[in-house]
Amino acid sequence: MTHLSAGPSAGPPRSGGIDRRSLLRGAGGLGALGALGALAGCGAAARPADDIAFWHLLSGPDGVTMSELLDGYMATDGAATVTPTVLAWGSPYYTKLAMASAGGRAPDVAVMHAARIPGYAPGGLLDEWDLDLLGEFGVRQEDFPELIWDKMMVEGKLLDIALDSHPFVMYYNTEIAEAAGQLGTDGLLLPVSSPEEYREQLLALGAQAPSGFGLSWGYLGDGSNQWRMFCTYYTQLGGTIELPEGGTMQYQEELAIQAIEYILTLIDGEVGNSSHDGGTAISEFATGGSGAFYGGVWEIGSYRNEGVPFDMQVIPGVLGRPAAYADSHSFVLPHQSSPNEERRRNVHAMVAYILKNSIQWANAGHIPAYSPVVQDPAYADLVPQSHYADASDYLVYDPPAWFTGSGSDFHTYFGNDMQNVWARRAEPLEGWNAFVARINDLLAKPSPM
């Protein structure tokens, strides 16, 4: 397995189509050229058809699990050899992937976050998956939840195959909840249906928690976590966002302000701490200090390691229909001008194997996108994973644009402009309008892809 450190981040948008030279300028010139050279071994021409070059951004427990899945695939009869290259996630990863595709050095398959894919599609940097070929290996459209399948289709083309969804959810301390009288006879947190009921529940949890807080949520310096929280409640209210290139951001201002004002009630110094960052919020819940925590499903492993008694559920839909902000790890085919048909077939076989065995992936908290795994009785035995599997019915992805998705400028700008609002140093409308102005500036620029 090859490991490469993070490279230079992408530069400002440039007009016109993408080519190797403009990518190198935007990504840091000679530094990017060196990065591309380091990855040149992925060139398909010099390799046999049963040698798959695979790039991904999975580290820690996720990286270990992916390695195990690849080992399982390679142990099957007739399997190809998979050579993975692991790069640091974020803008450097996506820059290098684009450079490789534009420079004729693309790997055979790669992992991308689904919300980043609309930025790649217009530039022809990704090839389509063959649904008929996937069908030969037992993977069909009906095997995916509708919301995930819709995200896999970009401009009418099947450009990614989702491995999972990883939503923003609610964790709760079962011992604190029991002491607060907030567990039902089924052992799950009592349902609530209004902001008032939910506040009373969180206050009850806080009364039994050492910190005095019912909810932990970190926002300081974390634009992505701020956006996840906002998107959850804005969507509950029925809010939508559209980002037309060359136009202006389309949204419902009244609902945006309502969502912001509601979030402020959850970090008011009574329900939750008013000035947590991600690390302090995680630590507060991990040490048994608070009753509940808002975060991504990927925190499951750390909380288990800490021995905290917890369960999980979709964030209650107290403002409307539940919503689960999410992204998906997805497999893509970086563009190759003359792909080897036999190798492409092997790639489809590899991905089908991983999908069918993705209950291993569920151990890390992600919800498998391949529905037969979730519907298997073995998945019901996974706790707490099976308790929030219904999040697949409520998934909300970033609005499509070349600058949205996990680790994107979209999240960074939201955090930059809204952090003072959460800290009560700026009014909600002031922060929101500043964010909208930044996004409108981006929309006025052509996609660099």
Side-chain angles (χ1 to χ4, degrees):
M1 181 181 296
T2 304
H3 293 265
L4 294 172
S5 61
S9 59
R14 306 185 64 88
S15 60
I18 195 166
D19 60 28
R20 190 171 186 266
R21 180 174 297 177
S22 64
L23 270 167
L24 293 178
R25 281 200 301 265
L30 293 176
L33 182 61
L36 185 58
L39 299 174
C42 292
R47 292 181 290 107
D50 61 353
D51 183 5
I52 296 172
F54 175 35
W55 288 13
H56 67 78
L57 37 59
L58 305 166
S59 59
D62 284 352
V64 172
T65 302
M66 179 56 70
S67 293
E68 293 171 349
L69 285 165
L70 293 176
D71 288 343
Y73 161 70
M74 288 187 285
T76 61
D77 291 338
T81 297
V82 182
T83 303
T85 297
V86 184
L87 298 99
W89 91 281
S91 293
Y93 175 81
Y94 292 107
T95 299
K96 289 175 182 176
L97 191 59
M99 286 162 40
S101 296
R105 299 289 186 176
D108 302 305
V109 61
V111 169
M112 289 183 66
H113 285 95
R116 300 292 295 249
I117 289 170
Y120 277 64
L125 295 178
L126 300 176
D127 291 341
E128 291 185 68
W129 289 88
D130 187 330
L131 191 55
D132 291 335
L133 188 52
L134 285 170
E136 289 186 36
F137 298 111
V139 175
R140 298 166 293 272
Q141 176 179 346
E142 55 266 31
D143 293 328
F144 297 88
E146 182 178 357
L147 292 174
I148 291 180
W149 178 262
D150 289 346
K151 193 63 181 174
M152 288 161 53
M153 297 294 296
V154 182
E155 298 181 348
K157 300 177 181 179
L158 183 61
L159 291 187
D160 70 277
I161 303 296
L163 171 60
D164 62 34
S165 62
H166 39 276
F168 187 66
V169 295
M170 179 184 186
Y171 296 69
Y172 59 93
N173 184 304
T174 52
E175 290 183 357
I176 290 176
E178 183 175 24
Q182 295 300 310
L183 290 186
T185 55
D186 56 1
L188 303 179
L189 195 65
L190 292 173
V192 290
S193 58
S194 70
E196 294 77 18
E197 284 185 7
Y198 193 39
R199 182 175 182 82
E200 289 303 314
Q201 183 176 75
L202 292 174
L203 289 173
L205 294 176
Q208 298 297 322
S211 70
F213 295 125
L215 179 66
S216 296
W217 173 64
Y219 71 88
L220 288 169
D222 191 340
S224 290
N225 222 30
Q226 293 177 47
W227 176 254
R228 293 171 190 133
M229 179 77 124
F230 169 79
C231 188
T232 296
Y233 286 114
Y234 179 66
T235 304
Q236 282 192 17
L237 290 165
T240 60
I241 291 176
E242 295 180 9
L243 301 173
E245 187 172 350
T248 59
M249 179 172 165
Q250 303 298 301
Y251 59 93
Q252 295 80 47
E253 181 181 284
E254 181 180 351
L255 299 184
I257 300 308
Q258 186 177 344
I260 293 166
E261 290 176 341
Y262 180 68
I263 293 169
L264 286 168
T265 70
L266 300 178
I267 51 171
D268 60 355
E270 294 184 7
V271 170
N273 191 297
S274 61
S275 59
H276 270 339
D277 60 19
T280 52
I282 290 171
S283 177
E284 185 174 69
F285 186 77
T287 56
S290 62
F293 168 81
Y294 278 1
V297 296
W298 52 86
E299 300 294 350
I300 279 183
S302 61
Y303 289 149
R304 279 179 173 158
N305 292 340
E306 293 294 334
V308 61
F310 73 95
D311 207 334
M312 297 164 66
Q313 65 173 33
V314 173
I315 292 173
V318 296
L319 301 184
R321 188 173 184 267
Y325 173 82
D327 209 334
S328 294
H329 294 110
S330 297
F331 295 104
V332 296
L333 298 172
H335 176 65
Q336 295 181 351
S337 57
S338 300
N340 180 289
E341 291 186 11
E342 184 180 351
R343 188 183 296 113
R344 275 280 165 96
R345 182 179 182 85
N346 286 332
V347 168
H348 283 66
M350 179 198 91
V351 169
Y353 174 90
I354 292 174
L355 292 176
K356 291 180 177 181
N357 291 275
S358 56
I359 193 163
Q360 291 178 246
W361 194 245
N363 286 325
H366 312 298
I367 304 174
Y370 186 66
S371 295
V373 170
V374 178
Q375 295 162 358
D376 191 285
Y379 188 83
D381 294 335
L382 288 179
V383 176
Q385 288 91 328
S386 59
H387 292 171
Y388 59 83
D390 58 332
S392 295
D393 297 328
Y394 309 114
L395 299 177
V396 182
Y397 293 88
D398 275 1
W402 62 263
F403 50 80
T404 61
S406 295
S408 65
D409 287 343
F410 186 70
H411 293 185
T412 299
Y413 291 163
F414 184 79
N416 289 345
D417 293 316
M418 292 300 299
Q419 182 159 287
N420 281 338
V421 175
W422 312 127
R424 292 173 171 77
R425 293 192 292 264
E427 292 298 317
L429 186 58
E430 177 186 352
W432 177 255
N433 283 343
F435 170 63
V436 171
R438 285 215 208 194
I439 300 311
N440 286 341
D441 285 344
L442 289 177
L443 288 171
K445 301 173 183 177
S447 167
M449 301 301 178

